[in-house]
Amino acid sequence: MKYVLNRVGFLLISLWAAATINFFLPRMMPGNPVDSLIARFQGRISGSALHAIELQFGITHQPLWFQYLAYLNHLLHGNFGVSLTYYPASVMTVIGNSLPWTLGLAGLSTVISVALGLALGIYSAWHRKGWLANALPTMSTFTAAIPFFWLAMIFVYLLGYLLGWFPTDHAYTSSLVPGINGPFILSVLHHGILPACTIVISSLGGWLMNMRNNMVQILGEDYILFAQAKGVPDRALMLRYAARNAILPIATSFAMSIGFVVGGTLLTEIVFSYPGVGYQLFTAIENSDYPLMQGLFLMIAVSVLLANFAVEMLYGRLDPRVRRSGV
Amino acid sequence: MTVITSVASTSVDPSRRGRTSPIRQFFKDPKARVGFGIFAFFVLIALLAPVITPYNPQSTLFIPLQAPDARHWLGTTGNGQDVLAQFVYGARTSLTVGILAGLTATAIGIVMGMLPAYRGGTFDLVVSTFTNIILVVPGLPLLLVIGAYIHQTGSLVIALVIGMTGWAWQARVLRSQTLSLVSRDYVVAARLAGAPDQHIIFREILPNMLSLVVAGLMYSCLYGILAEASLEFLGLGNINATSWGTMLYWATQGAALLNGAWWWFVPPGLSIALVGMGFSLMNFAVDTLSNPRLRESS
Amino acid sequence: MSEPIEVLRAENLVVRFPVGGRGRWIVPVDNINLTIHQAESVGIVGESGSGKTTLGRTLVRILEPAKGRLHWHTHDVAHIRGRALRHYHAAVQMVFQDPFASLNPARTVFDQVALPVRCHRRMSGAAQADRVESLLDQVGLSPARDLREKYPHELSGGQRQRVAIARALAADPQIIVADEPVSMLDVSIRAGILQLLTELKEQLALSFVFITHDLASARYFSTRIGVMYAGQLVEMATAADITRRPLHPYTRLLMAASPGSGMKAPLPETTQGSPDLSAQRRGCPFAPRCPLVMDRCRQATVEFRWLADQHGVACLRSEE
Ligand SMILES: Nc1ncnc2c1ncn2[C@@H]1O[C@H](COP(=O)(O)OP(=O)(O)O)[C@@H](O)[C@H]1O
Ligand SMILES: [Mg+2]
């Protein structure tokens, strides 16, 4: 219980911190970048929308604390302002349209990559004499260092342009009507394979090496040797004794890994023009659509914080020691 | 990427420490040799850039989009630049920025990890909570947003910004190691000797976790190179500088994929991955050095 | 005999540590009174886990006492910090039990001995180097030149402990607390280290607090001896007195256990694990093991009483 409270507290603090970073970022930048933006959009958007942007980015004579409180108040009401690129659509609408694509892509890819990475890590630690088991960690150091966006480019070039097996942009064929129907779902899958492969391949190595290291570590522990001497079958030893304990410490590095995967997903989306938050973030940056950019950043941060929180809760369930000691 | 999860296990029993120097021991590991070899190879390329190619990487003298041949070993870009020249001069920027970012992150990580662990109390609570928050706030989106505001800035600023967003993991690792070292007798003895705090932190404790720091540095450099390439690729760095990242930016802008100009975008991406692999292998080897169990296995 | 000058006096000293959360404490130093005079050597004897190290670390103010006072000459140093504490450390040094842990594996012999010379004595350059050399000489590490640049792992256990002693001397202290300085060393080299400490004591007019679990070496080294059990001082007397007339049953137990004692074992150990240090315990802490235990021992708080000029004990039997 103490553990849960502790983690909930940390979640709240980090949500607040993300919102605060989001508030202060534009205000900390040299020469307020929004000034030129306002000048550019003068006349193109309504006066009240312009005024809202001025308030949002601190071009006002109100004191900072007042701006900050107004900002927090807006956030709590789900009011992220209007997007300039998609005017008059609100930032919230744009996020609502793009977030599901990213969650689907990143979520599915992460599950596949974690499962595959852990399995290969166990394999590589267990069969230490086999050539493949020995080659896997070294190969991982390479795949883990491949920039996501470059691997995406190679896929687009080889499998998209040269071989023509997969579409190279967007999430589905635009002539189809989105909905629960066969052709649409097939199209989504067809479009999703390359981005998903990019993410899986680039993030697989980290899980693999991590798992392998922990397994090797644990296989040397006395209790494993003891279980072996007692005649516990190899398979049970590998999975039930070693792998189980080796997975636990990985959860502690999950926080950083998830951020890394999300970053990679954003880059992958950009290369594939995949209509998720990464692609929208890039569009917003290119168009200097600061309200949209800030809104997306905050949303991405919140998603990552929530994902991390979910993993920590799961971790607490898996490892009773954590729950009791309230680390 | 290699994440060091085993913190506690990395302290060596000092009495068991071998007679050979750590550096020699490091190079006994084939992983370390390969990793260092890759790294040295690219450093050499960067240093010898003017010897390797007679061309100016920015001059647009040549026929665009030529495939590799005897004159242009790596062909030309869509703007008629020599790709090899761009590649070797780009290595300078990419390596410098990546390593500088890695050094910045490591330096911040040392201070933000060791100081609170040494001081303890509320200070530790506040700083380590802050570190944990920075750790979970996703780095790349933050970098992109900062990049969008400070548009088209110099490479030095980029390196510093990358370093400032990438120190948290190392701070966390170093904090827990410092916590386990502060109560050691030799640290207590240094306090009895009247040594000032900064002496104890940097001269008594830090040298005993050098392998962690070096492993972290390797890892941070890998992060730095990847982050720099990502920013440049999106056009958020200095697009007029020559680096592996900007090469990829211009390759996308110039529709290198559609034109089948693989020689334009394969070398820089491949090299980023190779340099990253080099750092990763060295990180691995340093980790192994301080963790006897991993040593037996490889 | 002229009145000895008092250097350090602990009054009702209490040190405690939290254990396992929920406001539970152990009290490894429980209401201890102890005086150390100039140039004398006080032995502290007790079995492992009785709080000797904790007491020693509190005397040198590595630890801060929860209650009580610690008088250094006329100042109370129980809770000083910062510059004042640094000042105090120049006068009160410690030799640790484990020479493998007390020397920094990453720094040379010279670095470690020079540190207090530089920080406490403010010497640098040639003066500092000379001082380090003479210190190494003094602890029998000569020629010092061969050892200066060595790292701890290149030294034997005995050499390391000599380096640690040199480091303690380097601050030019008035008191050295030596915490079981030979217990981690090979038997064959213990005598050499003890010999060295004895010489230093005689040459330098230093006060020593000599912590040991073995009564014989305490008698060899100390003028007065305090016996500790479960965080309390149970008996205090001159070395001669304690040998001739041990009053506390625990002291007698120790006598019996120490090699070369003429005494036959009159008090068989009715052992039950290590001493109970918890803050909740009542009565005499030795009661569960005491062969002479009475009903009263389990409830009454036992006061430490001076029976003779230099002989005190905390035992209800001694009142009879
Ligand atoms: N820093 C500490 N925190 C908690 N408990 C401690 C600490 N230091 C010592 N103890 C406990 O205090 C008790 C006495 O230890 P110590 O003073 O080392 O006894 P001795 O030196 O006589 O063996 C032991 O039970 C030990 O576990
Ligand atoms: Mg002890």
Side-chain angles (χ1 to χ4, degrees):
Chain A
M1 203 54 219
K2 196 174 163 204
Y3 173 74
V4 174
L5 284 182
N6 198 327
R7 291 340 289 166
V8 169
F10 181 72
L11 175 69
L12 292 179
I13 292 181
S14 50
L15 284 175
W16 166 77
T20 304
I21 291 174
N22 199 41
F23 174 80
F24 281 106
L25 262 185
R27 287 169 174 80
M28 274 173 8
M29 292 302 153
N32 197 324
V34 182
D35 276 341
S36 61
L37 181 77
I38 301 270
R40 196 144 60 81
F41 280 87
Q42 200 92 48
R44 276 207 270 161
I45 63 178
S46 77
S48 66
L50 211 55
H51 185 63
I53 291 171
E54 285 177 352
L55 290 186
Q56 191 177 355
F57 291 94
I59 308 174
T60 165
H61 294 295
Q62 280 158 347
L64 198 61
W65 63 266
F66 185 84
Q67 295 176 34
Y68 182 60
L69 290 183
Y71 160 83
L72 288 182
N73 186 36
H74 279 165
L75 284 192
L76 288 178
H77 291 89
N79 180 0
F80 287 57
V82 288
S83 159
L84 299 173
T85 320
Y86 299 95
Y87 184 79
S90 75
V91 167
M92 217 42 192
T93 317
V94 180
I95 291 174
N97 289 335
S98 51
L99 195 59
W101 291 112
T102 301
L103 289 184
L105 182 61
L108 203 63
S109 314
T110 305
V111 169
I112 295 175
S113 132
V114 170
L116 211 59
L118 297 190
L120 289 175
I122 294 173
Y123 173 83
S124 154
W126 191 257
H127 301 272
R128 244 175 285 164
K129 295 283 173 314
W131 70 268
L132 181 61
N134 277 322
L136 276 174
T138 312
M139 269 158 56
S140 314
T141 57
F142 180 73
T143 58
I146 299 177
F148 281 78
F149 60 89
W150 184 71
L151 186 62
M153 287 167 78
I154 297 289
F155 277 156
V156 167
Y157 175 65
L158 284 181
L159 302 175
Y161 292 156
L162 279 191
L163 298 172
W165 290 353
F166 295 99
T168 58
D169 61 0
H170 216 60
Y172 55 91
T173 311
S174 48
S175 56
L176 293 172
V177 188
I180 309 291
N181 57 63
F184 177 73
I185 292 173
L186 277 182
S187 172
V188 166
L189 288 178
H190 197 203
H191 280 77
I193 286 178
L194 281 189
C197 284
T198 306
I199 298 167
V200 169
I201 292 178
S202 301
S203 57
L204 184 70
W207 303 112
L208 189 155
M209 286 188 287
N210 230 324
M211 188 64 187
R212 179 181 183 277
N213 276 5
N214 291 348
M215 277 287 281
V216 168
Q217 189 88 7
I218 283 172
L219 287 175
E221 300 282 352
D222 288 342
Y223 69 92
I224 294 286
L225 301 177
F226 184 67
Q228 202 161 20
K230 265 194 351 193
V232 175
D234 272 4
R235 219 185 143 68
L237 196 66
M238 174 171 88
L239 296 177
R240 221 154 6 98
Y241 285 63
R244 222 190 123 125
N245 289 310
I247 284 178
L248 290 175
I250 288 188
T252 52
S253 66
F254 189 82
M256 196 183 52
S257 310
I258 187 90
F260 177 76
V261 171
V262 165
T265 307
L266 303 189
L267 292 166
T268 308
E269 284 179 6
I270 293 167
V271 174
F272 285 100
S273 306
Y274 199 85
V277 288
Y279 181 66
Q280 291 297 6
L281 181 62
F282 184 58
T283 315
I285 289 171
E286 290 226 295
N287 296 326
S288 303
D289 184 351
Y290 295 129
L292 180 57
M293 182 178 86
Q294 300 275 181
L296 284 164
F297 168 73
L298 191 59
M299 219 53 198
I300 294 168
V302 168
S303 313
V304 169
L305 295 181
L306 288 175
N308 195 47
F309 176 72
V311 169
E312 276 170 345
M313 286 297 103
L314 199 69
Y315 181 55
R317 247 169 206 283
L318 283 176
D319 190 352
R321 277 172 309 176
V322 174
R323 238 173 320 159
R324 255 184 284 120
S325 66
V327 178
Chain B
M1 50 190 187
T2 325
V3 175
I4 320 132
T5 41
S6 46
V7 175
S9 56
T10 43
S11 56
V12 209
D13 175 358
S15 60
R16 240 191 299 164
R17 189 184 269 187
R19 313 264 139 183
T20 47
S21 83
I23 294 180
R24 190 156 334 141
Q25 227 175 319
F26 173 75
F27 281 111
K28 263 198 209 146
D29 187 339
K31 284 203 190 76
R33 287 205 294 268
V34 173
F36 184 78
I38 295 175
F39 174 67
F41 173 75
F42 282 102
V43 168
L44 220 62
I45 284 185
L47 289 177
L48 296 180
V51 181
I52 296 172
T53 174
Y55 306 126
N56 178 334
Q58 294 294 4
S59 77
T60 51
L61 290 173
F62 313 108
I63 306 164
L65 292 180
Q66 283 186 88
D69 60 22
R71 253 174 63 109
H72 302 288
W73 293 354
L74 290 177
T76 60
T77 71
N79 302 322
Q81 297 141 322
D82 181 69
V83 173
L84 181 66
Q86 293 222 317
F87 177 74
V88 292
Y89 281 99
R92 292 185 166 185
T93 317
S94 290
L95 289 177
T96 314
V97 173
I99 292 172
L100 204 60
L103 286 172
T104 310
T106 304
I108 301 177
I110 287 175
V111 173
M112 296 294 278
M114 295 187 69
L115 230 48
Y118 181 75
R119 286 274 157 78
T122 322
F123 181 66
D124 180 36
L125 184 69
V126 171
V127 176
S128 63
T129 306
F130 178 68
T131 301
N132 285 335
I133 289 173
I134 297 295
L135 191 63
V136 287
V137 170
L140 188 79
L142 183 60
L143 264 183
L144 296 191
V145 171
I146 298 177
Y149 282 127
I150 54 176
H151 224 93
Q152 302 296 327
T153 181
S155 304
L156 182 68
V157 176
I158 294 180
L160 292 181
V161 170
I162 294 174
M164 283 191 288
T165 58
W167 52 268
W169 178 259
Q170 205 167 355
R172 184 154 130 173
V173 171
L174 295 182
R175 174 177 176 270
S176 57
Q177 184 68 2
T178 305
L179 280 181
S180 84
L181 292 183
V182 278
S183 54
R184 299 279 166 99
D185 282 352
Y186 62 79
V187 177
V188 173
R191 254 164 56 206
L192 282 182
D197 290 350
Q198 74 267 19
H199 172 96
I200 296 181
I201 294 175
F202 295 114
R203 306 294 298 278
E204 303 284 336
I205 300 180
L206 189 60
N208 284 293
M209 38 192 226
L210 265 192
S211 68
L212 271 187
V213 173
V214 173
L217 176 64
M218 295 301 153
Y219 172 72
S220 300
C221 288
L222 161 63
Y223 168 79
I225 287 201
L226 283 175
E228 189 243 3
S230 308
L231 275 184
E232 299 275 16
F233 166 70
L234 296 177
L236 294 176
N238 178 3
I239 49 172
N240 296 317
T242 306
S243 76
W244 293 341
T246 51
M247 283 177 79
L248 291 167
Y249 169 75
W250 288 113
T252 336
Q253 296 293 311
L257 298 179
L258 265 180
N259 289 309
W262 54 266
W263 57 86
W264 191 359
F265 62 83
V266 169
L270 194 61
S271 307
I272 293 168
L274 283 173
V275 173
M277 179 184 179
F279 280 127
S280 192
L281 286 173
M282 287 193 279
N283 165 306
F284 231 46
V286 178
D287 221 15
T288 313
L289 205 66
S290 52
N291 197 336
R293 274 212 189 115
L294 292 178
R295 194 175 333 166
E296 285 152 25
S297 81
S298 53
Chain C
M1 212 163 92
S2 66
E3 186 73 0
I5 302 167
E6 197 177 292
V7 185
L8 185 64
R9 180 160 42 95
E11 264 173 32
N12 307 101
L13 206 62
V14 175
V15 183
R16 48 184 199 177
F17 298 116
V19 279
R22 298 183 207 294
R24 290 162 51 92
W25 299 82
I26 55 168
V27 194
V29 173
D30 188 1
N31 205 19
I32 282 186
N33 291 287
L34 185 69
T35 306
I36 290 142
H37 301 103
Q38 190 167 35
E40 82 165 336
S41 169
V42 176
I44 301 289
V45 191
E47 67 187 59
S48 166
S50 52
K52 308 179 298 294
T53 298
T54 308
L55 173 64
R57 285 178 180 243
T58 311
L59 293 180
V60 302
R61 275 304 318 282
I62 293 165
L63 297 171
E64 192 172 340
K67 289 193 201 128
R69 276 185 298 234
L70 194 58
H71 290 288
W72 168 249
H73 296 284
T74 52
H75 310 285
D76 186 353
V77 295
H79 305 287
I80 52 169
R81 284 164 189 268
R83 186 189 292 268
L85 184 58
R86 220 158 253 161
H87 226 77
Y88 179 62
H89 284 160
V92 183
Q93 285 281 313
M94 182 147 187
V95 175
F96 296 84
Q97 181 171 14
D98 181 1
F100 289 81
S102 73
L103 295 181
N104 191 331
R107 295 177 61 82
T108 62
V109 167
F110 179 84
D111 285 341
Q112 315 207 34
V113 179
L115 189 63
V117 175
R118 189 170 76 239
C119 297
H120 284 316
R121 296 289 147 226
R122 305 255 161 245
M123 290 184 189
S124 57
Q128 174 184 293
D130 287 349
R131 173 82 176 128
V132 172
E133 190 145 340
S134 79
L135 282 164
L136 291 176
D137 228 40
Q138 199 169 7
V139 297
L141 289 173
S142 40
R145 227 164 290 107
D146 297 348
L147 278 155
R148 283 174 52 116
E149 300 308 322
K150 292 220 158 131
Y151 286 89
H153 73 254
E154 298 171 288
L155 308 179
S156 71
Q159 284 175 317
R160 289 191 204 203
Q161 199 58 302
R162 284 172 195 267
V163 172
I165 293 169
R167 175 177 59 189
L169 291 173
D172 220 348
Q174 296 180 28
I175 299 185
I176 288 183
V177 174
D179 184 5
E180 306 204 35
V182 298
S183 70
M184 304 284 269
L185 302 178
D186 287 345
V187 178
S188 58
I189 50 181
R190 287 182 181 178
I193 300 288
L194 286 177
Q195 180 63 37
L196 169 66
L197 290 174
T198 312
E199 281 166 23
L200 291 173
K201 185 177 63 176
E202 280 155 12
Q203 288 163 11
L204 299 173
L206 268 172
S207 309
F208 267 93
V209 174
F210 185 78
I211 295 173
T212 173
H213 58 259
D214 149 41
L215 194 54
S217 60
R219 274 189 317 226
Y220 166 80
F221 194 79
S222 318
T223 34
R224 288 189 303 138
I225 291 175
V227 178
M228 261 184 97
Y229 185 81
Q232 299 185 355
L233 201 57
V234 294
E235 184 162 5
M236 180 97 212
T238 61
D241 256 5
I242 222 159
T243 318
R244 225 177 308 128
R245 210 160 63 91
L247 292 177
H248 199 281
Y250 180 61
T251 312
R252 288 185 222 159
L253 197 69
L254 284 177
M255 294 280 291
S258 77
S261 82
M263 245 190 223
K264 290 225 306 287
L267 300 170
E269 193 168 348
T270 56
T271 182
Q272 42 174 273
S274 52
D276 176 15
L277 289 171
S278 74
Q280 283 83 11
R281 62 159 190 229
R282 288 280 165 271
C284 172
F286 190 59
R289 280 170 74 174
C290 185
L292 307 176
V293 66
M294 308 176 294
D295 279 350
R296 275 198 300 149
C297 296
R298 301 189 201 275
Q299 277 99 38
T301 314
V302 188
E303 297 287 338
F304 185 93
R305 297 182 317 126
W306 291 105
L307 299 180
D309 184 24
Q310 296 236 340
H311 202 148
V313 69
C315 181
L316 293 177
R317 288 273 183 196
S318 69
E319 292 167 11
E320 292 169 354

